[in-house]
Amino acid sequence: MANYILRRLLYAIPIAIGVTVICFSLIYLGPSDPIAAVMPDEASAADVQRIREAYGFDKPVPVQYALWLMRAVQGDFGNSLQSNRPVLDELIPALQNTLRLAVFAAALSFAIAVVVGSVAAYSQGTWLDKTVTSFAITGVSVPHYWVAIMLVIVFAVELGWLPAMGMGTGSSRDWAWDAEHMKALILPVISLSLIPAGIITRTTRASVLEVLSHDYVETLRAKGLSEATVLRHVLKNASPTVLAVTGLQFGHLLGGSILIETVFVWPGTGFLLNESIFKRDLPVLQGTILVLAMFFVFVNLTVDIMQTWLDPRIKRD
Amino acid sequence: MAETMGLVQDVSATPSRVPPIVQVDDLHVRFVSKDATVYAVNGVSFTLDPGEVLCILGESGSGKSVTLRALMRLLPRKRAVINGRVIVDGHDILSLSTSALSRVRGEIVSMIFQEPMTALDPVYSIGEQITETVRRHEKIGRAAAEARALELLELVQIPSAKRRLKAFPHELSGGLRQRAMIAIALSCRPRVLLADEPTTALDATVQIQILLLLRQLQKELGMSVIFVTHDLGVAGEIADRITVMYGGRFVEEGPTTAVMRDPLHPYTRGLLASTVHGQMHRERLRTIEGSPPNMEMLPAACSFAPRCRYAVDRCLEGVPDLHRPFPNRSARCIRLEEIGSMT
């Protein structure tokens, strides 16, 4: 087991390196020269050259990469071209804000999807199954920002129960676990849960159905186990697939939804990415993408390790 | 040989005194789906005595596995319609509530399956799969259940049993897996063991070991066993009594030696003629012409008639009754005597 985890960690290294290369290359993939973007149009060629040297853009590309990477691993992603503050200062609060949404949305969609998906599988072919499946498809296909706007109209504008936007009083850095802030979470979390809930429901339904078709379920019943115990066996067998999909969805949620965070004016990573793209703030963009990609790698690693713990056949190389 | 014959008949003559542990009356099972209805079992009746080993012999689709599953109502609830009466150790299986049924399963009657590869839950260890069964049926603690699990693995002769408790099914060979399956089935000392082709998926050498083990355990524990197989050799090895199934009906029944040596029904004759045995060197095997009946539309006639070389028009007039030409022997054929005198 320890061996397997170590091997998985080693596999993660080349992936991480690849991610840094891609993030670094963003500078050169962009449609315009980043220096030109920050310099006023009337700046002299000498001034542009001076800034170019100050930011190290005059050095060969591999050297630039090495220097950037060395700073990046120490948490120094440079300064925002826009605010001139360290990228990390912008990134950390945004990440925290998105994490609050992502954790709740992932938990909510996972909890609903596992129950509803299992019920659908157990009642395969009935109206219940068909209802669940059509809701799941609707959840995936309906534009979630539209649902978000509808939720705002109903619950914020018409009923006035919940705030329409923002994350409660205070600045984006003042979060507290009180009723007021929690209320602000509800609508964005529901909107964000739609797609993952739909996808995980369908995965759960399919995996549970697949497990139910196996001979060993008959053995479990032949042993006289209660249906609850049989269900426990079925879910454990279905869990590796469901977890893998949930992990991917959680990864997506961590990236923050540009659309949902825009609708709710939620200052998370999606919001930050959107802003830095429009303002050509490359250091912020690079740093954010790099950190999010690393999170993604980490989440997948965690899922992989959890799978070996749930299904002993996986670690057999 | 005459002596063994007598012995076998004596054994099967005892039932009149001891009440049977399994009694099946006019069992019918059909599978209903949107497109078709499959008549899998069409009026099966039999009894099984305590300590007796009955073998149900038949080809695929003859209804033998379905009959076996009906004995513990282990058929898909939505699709399978079961009629008739099944009494196991005094329990009326077909009218039990779900919870009462789950008490009977595993404790009074349990089953071992054909494919040890797929019949064990892959994500639980062998030990866990035994202990959960024990603890479901008996009020004992975890430690006691684990001790029982170890005992059971030793009972089914799994080497290094202690280590194997923690093993997962994929870590065991086919033979060991089937032994583990048997250990699970025996974990609550059932009175009746149902075995659905438990040796078919195994290598020939392992087959023999498993058969010998089953026979030994049956003797030691005094269980009744119903053994389903398509393999005549297996049936001859383990059974006290054989019943031959065709088209969802028992077409012949009798003590093993008698049926093997002197088959009555044309189908049983065909089966025996198409099997390899001792003296057959360089002799050509005979096959039964034609194919098994379509279970979706069984005629109200002898279902073997279309393939039977003794068939006459009368055979198509109705389902033949069971004829009993000798004590303890029966066959569902109207021309038993004529065929008997022909050969």
Side-chain angles (χ1 to χ4, degrees), chain B residues 112-132:
Chain B
I112 53 181
F113 297 88
Q114 180 171 352
E115 279 282 352
M117 186 72 210
T118 56
L120 295 171
D121 187 333
V123 305
Y124 285 83
S125 72
I126 301 298
E128 286 170 310
Q129 297 192 46
I130 299 176
T131 48
E132 71 175 352

Side-chain angles (χ1 to χ4, degrees), chain A residues 122 215-216 218-226 229 232-233 236-237 310-313 316, chain B residues 69 72 74 102 105-106 113 118-119 121-124 129 132-133 136-137 168 170 181 184:
Chain A
Y122 265 77
D215 292 352
Y216 56 77
E218 192 178 39
T219 311
L220 297 172
R221 298 210 167 107
K223 295 199 295 185
L225 298 183
S226 66
T229 316
R232 183 165 55 85
H233 279 262
K236 191 173 177 193
N237 274 283
L310 287 163
D311 188 342
R313 286 171 298 179
R316 185 182 52 165
Chain B
R69 278 166 174 71
M72 46 198 305
L74 205 60
S102 72
R105 287 175 178 172
F113 297 88
T118 56
D121 187 333
V123 305
Y124 285 83
Q129 297 192 46
E132 71 175 352
T133 318
R136 162 75 177 164
H137 294 289
F168 289 93
H170 71 266
M181 179 79 240
I184 291 173

Side-chain angles (χ1 to χ4, degrees), chain B residues 38-40 42 57-64 230 245-249 251 267 271 287-299 302-308:
Chain B
V38 175
Y39 297 89
N42 306 296
L57 197 64
E59 55 198 291
S60 343
S62 60
K64 54 193 196 306
H230 63 261
M245 205 164 178
Y246 190 84
R249 293 190 184 95
V251 295
Y267 175 61
L271 272 187
T287 56
I288 305 177
E289 301 283 324
S291 48
N294 179 354
M295 305 293 275
E296 285 176 28
M297 28 187 187
L298 280 174
C302 172
S303 44
F304 187 62
R307 301 170 76 182
C308 180

